[in-house]
Amino acid sequence: RALEELEPINSSADLEEWDTRYLGRNRGELKSLSSVMPKLTKEERPVVGQRINAVKTALERHLQEKREELKQRELLLALERERIDVTLPGRALPVGKMHPLSRTILEVTEIFARMGFSVVQGLEVEDDYHNFQGLNIPTDHPARDMQDTFWVSPEQILLRTQTSPMQIRTMEQSEPPVRVVVPGKVYRNEDIDATHEAMFHQIEGLLIDEVCTMADLKGCLERFAHEMFGPERRVRFRGSYFPFTEPSAEMDISCGLCDGKGCRSCKYSGWLEILGSGMVHPQVLRNVGYDPKKYRGFAFGMGVERIAMLKYGIGEIRLFSGNDLRFLRQL
Ligand code: FA5
């Protein structure tokens, strides 16, 4: 009977149950057979005893075989179930990437690094002296109205409105020659629209040496524009005004969409403004203890958002800080 019942078993659980039922040490059927021993005669005992042992050994052998068989089958089933098809295409993991503004900063600073400029970082919280006075913008100067300021404490501490204070700090800390570019955040209390943010990024540039002319400024910035936007873009300089440069100029590049013929994105002028620049004002040199008779230099400042908008054809500045993945993934 035990062997008949063993035959169809095909799970470990059923097999263990069978084991307990027939071979179990407490209430197994073989065990209860042994309880007849005391009632047998002296002659019968060894015969029956041997018989029981033989049956036990046989059952144990069958049990062991069945165990092996089940183990083998379960292994095969598991192998079948967990089979990996290595020819299936993999699932792509979403990979993050650099923010378009970080990438623009990297591209711009790398171009200037190749021209011998080092990259330095400045402070976002500045004082009035470095943001304004040192740059030839005294307290009552109308140029202060050009950059509406967030004050941190009345009249002294502010969120920098431009990266230009790093011109002063760099010159205060080192002797000429100087060649630095300074990327970073700036803040202005502005009305926000498609091209104006209250927090945006600028990259400042400063070069000071014994020999330096407006031609060097133009050559350097033209080279930058061509490396950044492509050799086919033209540049032009327009006279401008900044209190800390004299003369001052803004640089435009030809519109990449209409090739200078005029379209909506360049307001039908054919040109796009990308930066302010000029020869460092002698008063600024005096403020940091440089001799304006011996040294001269040029400086420039560009808006990173505007550069990125031109380069990637983006019409809305607020997209950069909106954290919308649909936008970020496209770039
Ligand atoms: C300046 O900030 C001067 N410090 C630049 C400079 C440096 C001139 C060194 C001479 C020598 P301006 O205010 O024009 O200049 O700003 C420079 C650039 O910042 C602009 O051309 C524009 O690209 C960007 N910009 C200005 N205001 C905003 C704004 N609200 N949102 C986004 N970009 C802005």
Side-chain angles (χ1 to χ4, degrees):
R1 171 154 49 87
L3 287 181
E4 256 168 38
E5 282 178 20
L6 184 64
E7 182 59 29
I9 285 179
N10 61 12
S11 82
S12 305
D14 288 349
L15 187 62
E16 294 321 309
E17 201 259 330
W18 180 93
D19 182 17
T20 321
R21 185 142 38 89
Y22 291 104
L23 297 166
R25 239 181 284 158
N26 291 329
R27 255 171 268 153
E29 284 200 28
L30 272 180
K31 190 82 196 166
S32 44
L33 270 186
S34 323
S35 62
V36 302
M37 292 296 245
K39 297 177 195 149
L40 301 177
T41 64
K42 216 172 177 185
E43 291 73 31
E44 286 169 325
R45 261 182 226 161
V47 181
V48 172
Q50 265 172 22
R51 201 74 184 118
I52 290 178
N53 273 341
V55 169
K56 190 173 173 216
T57 315
L59 289 187
E60 274 169 355
R61 188 164 44 79
H62 280 97
L63 173 69
Q64 203 44 45
E65 279 169 10
K66 191 75 180 179
R67 272 217 181 100
E68 274 307 308
E69 185 193 317
L70 284 185
K71 217 166 100 187
Q72 213 47 38
R73 195 165 49 211
E74 273 160 20
L75 181 66
L76 285 177
L77 280 176
L79 283 177
E80 185 60 29
R81 202 170 44 235
E82 292 161 22
R83 194 163 67 180
I84 292 169
D85 182 352
V86 291
T87 66
L88 282 175
R91 278 182 216 136
L93 288 173
V95 180
K97 51 186 172 182
M98 216 182 259
H99 190 280
L101 290 181
S102 307
R103 208 163 80 203
T104 305
I105 288 172
L106 197 66
E107 282 178 61
V108 172
T109 51
E110 273 176 1
I111 291 171
F112 284 103
R114 285 199 290 276
M115 292 192 261
F117 287 75
S118 13
V119 183
V120 295
Q121 305 269 347
L123 313 164
E124 286 173 34
V125 178
E126 265 293 0
D127 54 47
D128 189 279
Y129 177 77
H130 290 92
N131 196 83
F132 290 126
Q133 292 172 49
L135 288 163
N136 212 17
I137 316 176
T139 317
D140 53 358
H141 198 287
R144 290 207 175 196
D145 299 341
M146 291 158 69
Q147 304 177 0
D148 210 344
T149 308
F150 287 115
W151 292 97
V152 174
S153 76
E155 301 311 313
Q156 280 310 315
I157 307 298
L158 48 84
L159 297 182
R160 67 176 173 190
T161 59
Q162 49 188 355
T163 41
S164 303
M166 274 306 283
Q167 290 186 30
I168 305 294
R169 288 193 184 276
T170 307
M171 291 190 283
E172 280 174 345
Q173 283 158 22
S174 51
E175 291 297 315
V178 171
R179 251 186 233 198
V180 292
V181 282
V182 189
K185 290 188 175 74
V186 301
Y187 303 82
R188 291 184 195 177
N189 194 356
E190 298 227 49
D191 291 334
I192 292 166
D193 62 27
T195 53
H196 293 85
E197 274 275 24
M199 182 204 80
F200 57 101
H201 297 75
Q202 287 188 338
I203 298 174
E204 192 80 9
L206 175 70
L207 182 147
I208 306 282
D209 214 327
E210 287 181 20
V211 181
C212 178
T213 70
M214 192 82 184
D216 297 314
L217 175 147
K218 290 175 75 174
C220 177
L221 292 178
E222 189 172 337
R223 165 117 173 243
F224 156 72
H226 286 155
E227 290 204 23
M228 189 72 190
F229 296 98
E232 69 289 351
R233 304 290 277 270
R234 283 164 296 135
V235 303
R236 78 173 183 191
F237 288 84
R238 266 181 303 105
S240 181
Y241 172 75
F242 299 100
F244 37 94
T245 49
E246 182 60 36
S248 304
E250 281 174 315
M251 185 172 82
D252 301 338
I253 59 166
S254 58
C255 176
L257 292 178
C258 61
D259 196 25
K261 292 182 190 67
C263 67
R264 239 182 77 200
S265 91
C266 59
K267 300 205 183 86
Y268 302 97
S269 69
W271 296 96
L272 299 154
E273 179 204 316
I274 65 166
L275 56 84
S277 64
M279 302 304 291
V280 177
H281 197 292
Q283 185 56 47
V284 173
L285 295 177
R286 274 192 288 273
N287 289 347
V288 297
Y290 285 8
D291 178 1
K293 290 206 178 67
K294 189 165 178 210
Y295 296 111
R296 52 197 63 220
F298 64 75
F300 56 87
M302 61 185 89
V304 177
E305 280 80 355
R306 300 273 175 84
I307 303 261
M309 288 166 85
L310 291 178
K311 177 133 185 171
Y312 300 114
I314 297 160
E316 169 58 74
I317 197 170
R318 283 165 287 195
L319 286 169
F320 290 114
S321 50
N323 276 339
D324 186 336
L325 287 177
R326 289 170 304 177
F327 165 71
L328 295 172
R329 282 200 184 108
Q330 287 178 45
L331 295 166

